Amino acid sequence: EVQLLQSGGGLAQPGGSLTLSCAASGFMFRTEAMSWVRQAPGKGLEWVAAIGSSGGTTYYADSVKGRLTISRDNSKNTLYLQMNSLRAEDTAVYYCAKQIGSCTAGNCYFDYWGQGALVTVS
Amino acid sequence: EIVMTQSPATLSVSPGERATLSCRASQSVSSNLAWYQQKPGQAPRLLIYGASTRATGIPARFSGSGSGTEFTLTINSLQSEDFAVYYCQQYNNWPPITFGQGTRLEIK
């Protein structure tokens, strides 16, 4: 069974930092591209960042470029989102999501999602 | 950036009836469109990809159609568990991957 178990949410001050983790199991993590998607309170879904299976390619939404960093440790089956220079508008539930395939292959949609982690910047 | 616009924002339908949700792209996304269902307090669930292919385990009452800029999600014989928020997502032109703002399907 595919599982994405998230940790690391919480309260941060404006300008502060936080790291989210997403531990994967039930599939071959090292072969799958992954993304982070967020949802502000009462709002819709916003894609944040994506990373290729090896970690060598990353993509970001303009709203987070230079402040949030996606990374992965394939030896630990874990995806990360390092969040720096946090702003009030970063307040959201953050989901890690498994991509069905690589974006470059035209398969940039999401078949499994983590349970979400709330990040509050205040 | 491709803007995805969903309509209506809220749709009220009675159980057992059909619901038709629309999604429009600001430019062609070919058939590179997915639909998700989200219930309160839960993560989204993939329903449809490639505009019309049901994901694994999705009931046949869910169907998707369209290509280019106009897409439709149809839910036949609405069940109580179908009342939720639905999002479309394009993955043709990226980054960024973009979602519609959602349609809330509520019980009439």
Side-chain angles (χ1 to χ4, degrees):
Chain A
E1 179 191 5
V2 171
Q3 288 195 337
L4 298 172
L5 187 60
Q6 297 184 227
S7 59
L11 177 65
Q13 293 186 336
S17 298
L18 211 57
T19 299
L20 304 181
S21 299
C22 173
S25 61
F27 66 100
M28 201 164 292
F29 179 74
R30 67 177 184 272
T31 65
E32 303 293 346
M34 301 289 293
S35 277
W36 289 96
V37 176
R38 69 184 180 183
Q39 187 169 37
K43 303 297 184 181
L45 301 170
E46 179 189 16
W47 171 79
V48 171
I51 188 167
S53 58
S54 68
T57 53
T58 56
Y59 308 94
Y60 295 94
D62 285 347
S63 59
V64 306
K65 205 172 291 184
R67 301 186 302 114
L68 275 57
T69 302
I70 188 172
S71 64
R72 64 193 296 161
D73 185 337
N74 285 346
S75 69
K76 295 182 178 179
N77 287 351
T78 302
L79 177 73
Y80 302 99
L81 186 67
Q82 174 67 44
M83 310 171 72
N84 297 329
S85 302
L86 283 164
R87 306 168 179 169
E89 54 264 37
D90 295 317
T91 294
V93 173
Y94 286 74
Y95 295 100
C96 61
K98 173 184 169 295
Q99 292 173 204
I100 198 76
S102 72
C103 288
T104 51
N107 294 320
C108 217
Y109 54 95
F110 312 108
D111 56 351
Y112 291 96
W113 298 66
Q115 83 277 17
L118 176 62
V119 172
T120 303
V121 183
S122 177
Chain B
E1 172 176 331
I2 296 181
V3 177
M4 307 300 293
T5 303
Q6 293 185 239
S7 61
T10 303
L11 182 62
S12 299
V13 183
S14 300
E17 297 192 337
R18 173 185 299 171
T20 302
L21 289 67
S22 296
C23 175
R24 173 177 292 179
S26 60
Q27 63 188 79
S28 177
V29 298
S30 186
S31 294
N32 293 315
L33 184 108
W35 289 95
Y36 300 86
Q37 176 194 68
Q38 187 179 34
K39 297 179 180 179
Q42 296 185 16
R45 177 174 72 143
L46 176 66
L47 298 175
I48 300 285
Y49 61 92
S52 61
T53 303
R54 278 189 303 278
T56 303
I58 301 303
R61 63 180 183 274
F62 290 89
S63 63
S65 63
S67 66
T69 62
E70 300 284 344
F71 300 89
T72 300
L73 175 69
T74 301
I75 313 170
N76 290 309
S77 301
L78 276 165
Q79 307 294 303
S80 57
E81 62 266 29
D82 299 335
F83 293 94
V85 179
Y86 292 84
Y87 294 95
C88 61
Q89 175 231 323
Q90 70 83 20
Y91 50 97
N92 191 66
N93 286 49
W94 57 271
I97 299 159
T98 51
F99 292 88
Q101 81 280 16
T103 290
R104 181 178 306 276
L105 179 59
E106 63 176 30
I107 300 175
K108 187 173 183 180

